[in-house]
Amino acid sequence: MRLGYGLIGAGFMGKTHTLGFLNVNRVFRLPVEVELRKVAEYDAAVAERAAKSLGYPEFTGDWRTLIGDPAIHIVSIATPGTTHCEMSLAAIAAGKHVYCEKPLATAAEAEKMTAAGEAAGVKTMVGFNYIKNPMMRVAREIIDSGEIGEVRTFRGMHIEDNLMDADIPWHWRLDKAGAGGAMADIGSHILATARYLLGPIVEVLGDVTTVIPSRPVAGGACQTRAVEVEDIARAFVRFERGCSGVIEANWIAAGRKMQHDFEVSGSKGGIFFSQERFSELDLYLNDDRPGRRGFHKIFAGPEHPPYGDFCIAPGHQLGFNDLKTIEVRDFLRAIAGDTSDQTSFREGWEVQKTVEAIYRSSREHRWVKLQ
Ligand SMILES: NC(=O)c1ccc[n+]([C@@H]2O[C@H](COP(=O)([O-])OP(=O)(O)OC[C@H]3O[C@@H](n4cnc5c(N)ncnc54)[C@H](O)[C@@H]3O)[C@@H](O)[C@H]2O)c1
């Protein structure tokens, strides 16, 4: 099967999507082959520059033209969150398979997007790329096999410092009309990871704070605009399987670049992971003899699929864009009928429901159950 691909939004994520679709048929053997066809930006001149640099034969300054193109079967949406719902619904209505970035949308919008995708019978995907890491699969295998015993607790975080400087101007990530602040934007990743490893979260107790209350309207401007979304969000969480945990999302944590980190403790041992060293997983086994107990490091290698499709030797490490290539593989497999690793819009909706339950809990100062 040969399918045409179109990208809407050629910024940071648009480039990673492009690399993913360019590489996927070279790294993996798949029943679907993809051809880059068109890129859309908010303006034709920007789209033309993107087409030249990323290698698309066609471009448009109007995303609706891309969605209307019958030669395009798969659409990536890598634009600011407030556009995701309208673009996804239009793409689904045109019969396209849709791969949209996180946070998917507000929960109300995500519900509509999920229903539309499922009713149309097209395949959807959300960009929770960190769960595509081969070491995440190892972590889940260790948990599921009982190697660390009964899981007692989860500590997870997604922490960065990209907004720690109060002089950084107001921009679309801070738009209250979107899915939310730190917990929606970056916290959605660690919520997806928590759910991938341990299953559904059923109850939350949240605490949400805006530390920097206003920002310049543009670089160097004196005029400011109020920030109405949170910089830090924390939550105690309870999982359906019975264990509890704590989750933090924070984009003003000095010196922290990509702490998508977690620790899972069980009755026989534990695992620790940090995204800043994402080709490693630390494992602690309480059965080790006294005097020798301690976390030991497992380095990613060909025995941890699909690492071996990228590199035949262990310890050489994958990169961020490789995670996107794995995500694209899982999307193409879903389009071909194997949905076992599809992270669909339904998952994006579940994650956003958790985000909004945390916000509600913080507002109302009480535990909130998820429906
Ligand atoms: N999965 C991840 O790890 C990850 C990382 C960063 C960002 N994201 C998500 O990806 C999405 C995009 O973020 P980004 O960092 O790439 O932003 P970005 O600002 O770098 O890129 C967004 C692009 O969309 C374009 N755009 C805006 N409105 C448009 C419109 N109406 N039509 C066509 N193009 C339009 C902009 O011109 C820009 O080039 C967001 O949802 C963000 O949360 C995901």
Side-chain angles (χ1 to χ4, degrees):
M1 188 173 8
R2 196 169 174 81
L3 299 179
Y5 168 71
L7 167 71
I8 309 177
F12 173 27
M13 275 305 107
K15 187 169 187 174
T16 70
H17 281 234
T18 305
L19 293 173
F21 280 96
L22 275 173
N23 289 335
V24 74
N25 290 120
R26 288 153 186 87
V27 177
F28 300 108
R29 278 184 185 204
L30 294 168
V32 179
E33 262 194 68
V34 177
E35 193 183 348
L36 266 57
R37 296 207 64 103
K38 195 179 292 223
V39 58
E41 259 291 341
Y42 66 91
D43 158 285
V46 178
E48 183 174 15
R49 276 201 300 277
K52 275 197 184 127
S53 71
L54 296 174
Y56 288 85
E58 296 170 20
F59 62 88
T60 171
D62 176 5
W63 59 268
R64 287 183 186 278
T65 310
L66 184 149
I67 281 172
D69 186 337
I72 292 175
H73 311 94
I74 301 172
V75 175
S76 276
I77 299 174
T79 50
T82 47
T83 64
H84 291 178
C85 182
E86 187 187 10
M87 290 177 179
S88 295
L89 290 177
I92 289 167
K96 315 293 181 193
H97 302 292
V98 186
Y99 176 16
C100 182
E101 266 309 327
K102 49 48 61 182
L104 187 57
T106 66
E109 290 172 332
E111 181 175 8
K112 280 188 219 155
M113 294 156 74
T114 303
E118 290 176 3
V122 298
K123 293 296 185 295
T124 57
M125 193 82 175
V126 187
F128 291 136
N129 27 264
Y130 300 110
I131 61 175
K132 301 301 178 184
N133 180 352
M135 298 319 274
M136 286 284 179
R137 188 176 282 267
V138 178
R140 190 160 79 171
E141 275 167 20
I142 289 171
I143 293 166
D144 289 351
S145 67
E147 234 175 305
I148 57 167
E150 190 181 326
V151 173
R152 292 171 168 168
T153 179
F154 175 84
R155 277 198 301 124
M157 62 191 81
H158 192 120
I159 293 182
E160 303 185 26
D161 67 359
N162 59 318
L163 288 175
M164 71 169 280
D165 186 345
D167 291 337
I168 292 173
W170 194 96
H171 62 285
W172 58 262
R173 279 176 205 278
L174 304 168
D175 191 343
K176 197 171 187 289
M183 186 54 85
D185 186 28
I186 51 177
S188 55
H189 278 302
I190 193 67
L191 290 170
T193 293
R195 285 172 52 83
Y196 174 78
L197 295 173
L198 297 175
I201 292 168
V202 289
E203 212 174 355
V204 297
L205 178 65
D207 180 49
V208 163
T209 319
T210 305
V211 177
I212 300 171
S214 63
R215 290 182 179 272
V217 291
C222 298
Q223 197 190 344
T224 59
R225 177 165 176 175
V227 173
E228 296 177 89
V229 297
E230 83 285 0
D231 297 310
I232 303 174
R234 298 188 183 92
F236 291 113
V237 298
R238 290 191 185 128
F239 291 88
E240 191 176 73
R241 65 191 289 147
C243 65
S244 63
V246 59
I247 285 178
E248 177 173 341
N250 181 339
W251 55 29
I252 56 165
R256 296 304 182 190
K257 304 301 173 189
M258 184 38 75
Q259 266 199 310
H260 180 92
D261 294 8
F262 66 80
E263 192 158 302
V264 181
S265 292
S267 53
K268 293 190 199 167
I271 47 177
F272 168 75
F273 171 86
S274 176
Q275 181 64 28
E276 288 177 359
R277 305 183 68 87
F278 81 77
S279 291
E280 302 169 11
L281 182 70
D282 289 1
L283 172 65
Y284 177 86
L285 294 172
N286 207 42
D287 276 351
D288 288 347
R289 73 184 165 96
R292 297 292 182 275
R293 286 182 195 150
F295 279 95
H296 71 265
K297 225 168 257 319
I298 305 167
F299 285 102
E303 58 275 78
H304 308 123
Y307 178 102
D309 290 284
F310 291 90
C311 178
I312 56 164
H316 286 49
Q317 315 205 9
L318 303 187
F320 177 77
N321 288 311
D322 298 328
L323 303 186
K324 229 48 190 169
T325 303
I326 300 170
E327 192 163 74
V328 173
R329 177 201 66 171
D330 291 350
F331 186 36
L332 296 185
R333 280 186 177 165
I335 290 169
D338 172 6
T339 54
S340 50
D341 287 313
Q342 181 192 4
T343 312
S344 71
F345 279 7
R346 184 163 282 278
E347 179 60 12
W349 177 32
E350 290 297 336
V351 166
Q352 183 62 21
K353 279 196 275 183
T354 315
V355 169
E356 292 183 17
I358 292 168
Y359 292 159
R360 183 165 165 211
S361 165
S362 179
R363 272 195 315 274
E364 298 179 4
H365 295 273
R366 64 176 183 88
W367 281 90
V368 167
K369 281 194 195 324
L370 277 122
Q371 310 294 330

